[in-house]
Amino acid sequence: IDKLLTAIKDLQYGNMGSYVNINTNDEFEILGNQYNIMLDKLNELIKRNQELSDIRRINEIKKLEAQFNPHFLFNVLETLKYSIIINPEEAQDIIMSLSRILRYSIRDEENIIFKKDLAYIQDYLKLHKIRFKDNLNYNINISDEVKNSYVPKLLLQPIIENSIKYGYKEKDNLNIEIVGERVGKDIIFKIEDNGSGMMEEEIRCIEDILQSEENLSKHIGLYNIHRRLNLLYGENYGVKINSVYGRGTTVIIKTPYLPYGRGENV
């Protein structure tokens, strides 16, 4: 665990060569191998972006997909460190969930059937639930049509990450509601939380960022989703935000409905 924590901390500081060497012939070796494979894929994506710099649209899409937050890994491994002593069964569950997340994150696909993305989301939320216990609750309500449609990979994860990251600023308990339904030719996702919310001035600032072609702010996840959908499907698709300070935030994502059999070639 210490080896993984050190490697992830180095990665946070931009060291893209922070690989680990774990030879324990158990789940930790699997976890270490998955981390190394993930790092290889990230380096490949960075190299590919440089090679495709003359094709701006493709380059930008790939760069947005390559975003990765090592803080999540660091927090999960810190939780694992204590679970091994207190609750070994929970520790094994953490390792397996994290391994599935790492394995999924390295799949080089642009569009993916949403039920696979949903499995990733469930593992992601499960790991946070283990960390925050009863202070975090969530509910997922996705229609069968949406589960069997194609969406850009990891479409909702940055929004859920923001709900957890900012929701606890002024509150001890957080509830997250995730809804996905088909509306005509589109899919509407709604991620709603009862967290700290935002003031009107901050909402206007985010809306301005979403409309720009370059983002230099801290709102990377929101911008990346919005920009990817704009580039892939046009300006009618993207992200909208509603928030009330002290009461919570709702993020709405609109993407085309691409049923099974159509999404592979989009």
Side-chain angles (χ1 to χ4, degrees):
I1 294 175
D2 286 336
K3 284 185 177 181
L4 285 166
L5 288 171
T6 300
I8 292 165
K9 183 173 287 186
D10 288 343
L11 184 59
Q12 291 181 49
Y13 289 110
N15 180 5
M16 300 304 293
S18 59
Y19 292 91
V20 294
N21 183 21
I22 299 176
N23 299 303
T24 54
N25 295 318
D26 56 16
E27 291 90 346
F28 287 101
E29 184 172 342
I30 295 172
L31 191 58
N33 289 338
Q34 291 299 323
Y35 169 83
N36 288 337
I37 293 171
M38 178 203 67
L39 196 53
D40 282 337
K41 290 292 184 179
L42 284 174
N43 282 314
E44 287 176 12
L45 283 172
I46 292 171
K47 182 179 179 182
R48 187 183 307 170
N49 286 339
Q50 293 171 345
E51 293 173 350
L52 294 173
S53 60
D54 57 327
I55 308 175
R56 186 173 183 274
R57 177 178 177 274
I58 297 176
N59 179 58
E60 186 168 0
I61 291 172
K62 292 298 181 182
K63 185 170 65 177
L64 296 176
E65 288 177 343
Q67 295 295 332
F68 173 74
N69 184 3
H71 297 285
F72 166 69
L73 272 180
F74 190 84
N75 289 332
V76 170
L77 290 175
E78 285 285 4
T79 303
L80 176 61
K81 200 170 186 177
Y82 294 103
S83 295
I84 286 174
I85 300 172
I86 300 171
N87 189 342
E89 290 186 4
E90 181 181 80
Q92 186 176 11
D93 199 21
I94 291 173
I95 291 172
M96 298 310 295
S97 294
L98 185 55
S99 293
R100 286 193 295 267
I101 284 177
L102 292 177
R103 190 178 299 115
Y104 183 73
S105 69
I106 64 175
R107 294 181 63 173
D108 189 12
E109 296 173 281
E110 185 172 294
N111 278 2
I112 196 158
I113 194 166
F114 183 71
K115 61 185 176 183
K116 295 181 181 180
D117 234 30
L118 182 59
Y120 173 97
I121 291 168
Q122 290 169 331
D123 274 328
Y124 183 81
L125 284 169
K126 181 200 296 183
L127 291 175
H128 281 293
K129 176 70 174 177
I130 291 172
R131 178 187 175 197
F132 290 107
K133 307 297 182 185
D134 292 337
N135 291 331
L136 174 64
N137 293 289
Y138 59 88
N139 182 54
I140 301 174
N141 185 10
I142 307 292
S143 72
D144 288 338
E145 281 186 307
V146 173
K147 289 179 183 177
N148 291 293
S149 65
Y150 282 81
V151 300
K153 182 183 170 186
L154 297 178
L155 181 65
L156 305 187
Q157 188 271 338
I159 305 298
I160 298 169
E161 180 182 328
N162 280 351
S163 290
I164 295 171
K165 181 178 180 180
Y166 298 109
Y168 284 109
K169 276 191 172 181
E170 298 179 13
K171 292 195 174 183
D172 296 325
N173 296 286
L174 184 66
N175 296 316
I176 301 175
E177 183 87 15
I178 301 169
V179 177
E181 59 183 351
R182 178 187 175 187
V183 179
K185 296 181 179 181
D186 301 323
I187 293 174
I188 303 297
F189 289 106
K190 183 171 73 171
I191 301 94
E192 184 174 7
D193 67 61
N194 66 336
S196 302
M198 293 179 283
M199 302 183 75
E200 291 185 8
E201 183 178 348
E202 186 174 4
I203 295 173
R204 286 195 296 268
C205 178
I206 293 174
E207 289 174 344
D208 289 341
I209 291 169
L210 294 181
Q211 300 307 315
S212 65
E213 293 188 2
E214 185 178 6
N215 176 33
L216 300 176
S217 75
K218 65 179 181 179
H219 300 287
I220 297 172
L222 284 170
Y223 178 82
N224 284 0
I225 293 173
H226 186 75
R227 188 67 177 154
R228 283 173 67 192
L229 291 174
N230 278 181
L231 290 170
L232 288 168
Y233 308 120
E235 295 183 358
N236 290 330
Y237 299 98
V239 175
K240 291 185 179 180
I241 300 175
N242 297 309
S243 186
V244 178
Y245 183 71
R247 294 179 59 183
T249 301
T250 300
V251 177
I252 298 171
I253 300 174
K254 182 181 177 183
T255 187
Y257 172 60
L258 304 172
Y260 183 79
R262 285 183 53 197
E264 302 96 325
N265 299 318
V266 174

